[in-house]
Every structure is written in structure tokens, then in C-alpha cells.
Amino acid sequence: MESIENDVLETINLSEASKYSFSKYAPVYPYTNEYLDKLYSNFYLYGKNVLTVAASGDQALYAYNQGARNVDLFDINCLTKYYYYLRIWLIKYFDTFYLDEFNIKDKENYIMSISSVYEILKDGYDFEDFSFRLQSTLDLLLNFVRPSNIEEAKALRYWMLFSNLCFAKDYSFDSFVHNYYFMDDGDKKIKIEDLSRIRFMLKRNSFNFYNVDLKSKFNIDKKYDVVIASNIHETVRDKDTYAFRDNLYNLLNENGIAVLSNINGNLKSSRKKFLSELFCIEELPSYSNYKGKTLSIGTILRKK
């Protein structure tokens, strides 16, 4: 079975129980639970090559908004890659930042435009198995997409297969994503109003996606100026600390930095001591988390 087809089947099999696991197939965050304005104000991304956790896609999109030259993604959850493509398409074609803000009022004019785009897509890609219907806003978006490379074409195929499977099972796409595909995660912490810079960079750049676990040993040859690791350190077990530290070190260029954010608590003192063997450590200013607890917004690790 092709991997894309398997990814679709794994997606449709997500359940409430899936929300409590960090694995290759798990629900995705619809938006970040980090205060990226506060976090990103403590380091420079302009002209940098960045590797970030994929998660909701906000970290990557915000990096482009802050002037990053190129942004690649990693995540243990391979479904985050497909969600990131949805985010890209929303920005490219509809100037919309989040999926739940995608609300088309004048559908007739869009449908007239879609028909010509759909014919162009069919000429370039083998979509003969797909019927042309608009059973959800997802279909409306997908029929505007014109892939610029093979990876984007694969992502389009994933979402078209998924949409058709939803239709066959009589599922509502909107209901499925909110009940099973998305993690429940409170209010949005950021919103970028002017998407022009992000749109320009997305049209100009492609990206690499690495389906890896930062807590397990792996090898990626490419080096980066900045690695944004979100709050992954909060889930690192003691036995995985070496792999976590060494992965960050090996991913960075000389004098590169890794950025760790704090959601539930500060970086442990014992872990700081361990990390200090390979990194210079800078504790960032404080903020109040979602529970009202005061803690550091994060930590910068500068490669020695």
C-alpha cells in the first residue's frame, strides 16, 4: 500500500484516545499554545536558515514573518506535514491564516473559477478517481491548489483522498477535524494580519520535512542557524537526555542556537547543567502561562 494511502487510513482512524499520544499518527494542534511574539523577540531570524518543530505550523510561518531565509520542519507526527500544506494553501490562495477562519460567502463566483483550475490539475496529475464535488470547504480549497513540486502534489493527493473517504463514510469534514483531527488547545495566542511577507516566502521556497523524534537518535546532514524545539524538553525522559542534547548540537551550525520554550515549567536545573557541556545557556524573561504561573518564556542554547 502506498504511504499516502496508509496515512489517509491512519488519519480517518484517529479517535479521542489518540489525543493522549505523541506518535507518528496523532491529532495536530490547530494553532500554537506558545506566545511567539514574546518568545521570538529574544533572538534574530532575519536571513537565517531555520529548522522548527512542525506542530501547528505557526512556528514556521512566524519565522518567515520574522525574516527567516528558509524554514524546514520536523515532527514525530507525520500528519503535521499535511496540515502545514493546508496552512500554506490558505495563505497563498485566500489570504487566510487559520483553517477555522476560512469562510467563503460568495461561493458561486469561486466555483466558476474552480472549474478551470480543476481542468488544469487533471491535465498534470492523475486525479481520474476523484469526482468533482464540493462536500465541504476543504474541497473548495483543494480545487484551487496548483502543486509546484512532487511533495506538494502528494499532499494534495492526501487531502483529496481524505475528503473522498469522509464522503464515503458520510463524515462531515468540519466535524471530524474538530472532534478527532485537532488537539483541544484553548485560545489562539497569535494572529498575523499582514500575510504578504509570508506569502512571498512560501511562493519562493519549498521545505524539507523530517519525520523524526527529537528525543531519539537520528541523522540529518543539513545544518541550521536556528533550531526551534518548542517545549519538547518538557517531555524528555532522563534516559533520552543524551539523544535530545546531541541531536540539537548536531543540527546546528557553528554559533547556531536552539530555542526551547516553556509551557508548563522552567527547564530543569539538572538538565541545564547537562546541556551546558555543549551549549552556553541564556534564560529568557518571564511571562504568565495559561495557568497563571510565572515562569521563563524559554531558554536559548548557543552552540559552543
Side-chain angles (χ1 to χ4, degrees):
M1 180 180 295
E2 293 183 11
S3 60
I4 294 174
E5 294 179 356
N6 186 65
D7 290 349
V8 171
L9 292 176
E10 292 287 353
T11 303
I12 208 73
N13 287 328
L14 292 175
S15 64
E16 281 289 335
S18 305
K19 295 185 177 183
Y20 302 98
S21 67
F22 291 97
S23 60
K24 184 175 182 178
Y25 297 105
V28 303
Y29 288 97
Y31 30 79
T32 183
N33 55 7
E34 300 171 78
Y35 292 92
L36 297 184
D37 281 310
K38 295 179 181 178
L39 180 66
Y40 282 43
S41 67
N42 292 282
F43 53 92
Y44 295 101
L45 287 174
Y46 189 83
K48 304 292 187 181
N49 288 320
V50 177
L51 176 67
T52 178
V53 62
S56 67
D58 282 329
Q59 289 87 348
L61 297 172
Y62 210 87
Y64 273 134
N65 195 58
Q66 297 293 94
R69 180 170 63 182
N70 187 73
V71 182
D72 288 340
L73 293 82
F74 73 91
D75 209 291
I76 188 176
N77 182 359
C78 74
L79 301 186
T80 58
K81 172 183 65 175
Y82 299 115
Y83 181 56
Y84 185 61
Y85 274 110
L86 277 189
R87 301 288 306 274
I88 289 174
W89 298 334
L90 285 168
I91 292 171
K92 278 186 177 180
Y93 300 109
F94 291 98
D95 197 37
T96 300
F97 196 57
Y98 287 118
L99 183 61
D100 62 4
E101 296 169 352
F102 181 47
N103 181 23
I104 304 301
K105 296 179 180 178
D106 190 4
K107 287 190 177 183
E108 289 186 8
N109 289 337
Y110 283 104
I111 292 171
M112 290 173 63
S113 301
I114 285 170
S115 61
S116 61
V117 174
Y118 182 72
E119 290 304 318
I120 293 171
L121 281 174
K122 285 181 65 178
D123 290 340
Y125 299 93
D126 183 15
F127 292 147
E128 293 302 324
D129 293 335
F130 301 106
S131 59
F132 181 60
R133 60 176 177 270
L134 296 173
Q135 60 107 349
S136 71
T137 52
L138 174 65
D139 294 299
L140 185 62
L141 172 61
L142 297 183
N143 285 288
F144 268 92
V145 177
R146 301 181 66 173
S148 59
N149 55 55
I150 292 176
E151 290 303 313
E152 189 170 15
K154 289 179 180 178
L156 178 59
R157 178 173 172 79
Y158 165 90
W159 282 113
M160 294 186 79
L161 281 169
F162 179 75
S163 177
N164 275 262
L165 190 55
C166 281
F167 185 86
K169 290 181 173 290
D170 199 25
Y171 289 165
S172 161
F173 169 74
D174 294 334
S175 176
F176 183 86
V177 294
H178 288 291
N179 289 325
Y180 303 111
Y181 189 78
F182 285 153
M183 294 282 288
D184 300 322
D185 199 49
D187 299 327
K188 297 170 185 172
K189 303 294 191 295
I190 65 167
K191 174 67 183 297
I192 300 174
E193 299 293 342
D194 183 358
L195 301 175
S196 56
R197 174 181 282 180
I198 297 176
R199 188 184 306 107
F200 173 79
M201 296 305 294
L202 289 175
K203 288 181 178 180
R204 180 182 174 182
N205 295 333
S206 58
F207 66 92
N208 295 310
F209 175 81
Y210 307 106
N211 186 200
V212 298
D213 182 359
L214 200 57
K215 305 186 294 286
S216 299
K217 189 174 181 180
F218 60 80
N219 182 48
I220 295 175
D221 292 333
K222 191 173 179 180
K223 305 289 186 180
Y224 296 89
D225 302 312
V226 181
V227 174
I228 298 172
S230 188
N231 65 319
I232 292 174
H233 71 90
E234 295 179 347
T235 66
V236 175
R237 297 171 295 183
D238 289 342
K239 71 182 186 67
D240 298 324
T241 303
Y242 275 100
F244 176 73
R245 182 194 68 175
D246 293 348
N247 285 333
L248 290 176
Y249 186 86
N250 293 331
L251 286 167
L252 290 170
N253 289 321
E254 293 304 314
N255 296 315
I257 64 169
V259 181
L260 315 182
S261 60
N262 298 324
I263 302 298
N264 298 300
N266 291 325
L267 184 65
K268 297 177 182 178
S269 298
S270 59
R271 191 152 291 164
K272 283 183 185 179
K273 184 177 180 180
F274 182 74
L275 291 169
S276 67
E277 296 175 7
L278 298 179
F279 299 96
C280 296
I281 298 177
E282 177 188 349
E283 195 78 13
L284 299 180
S286 299
Y287 82 114
S288 295
N289 72 353
Y290 66 103
K291 293 181 179 179
K293 180 181 178 181
T294 299
L295 62 156
S296 166
I297 191 77
T299 305
I300 290 179
L301 308 176
R302 188 173 300 277
K303 186 174 181 178
K304 289 183 176 178

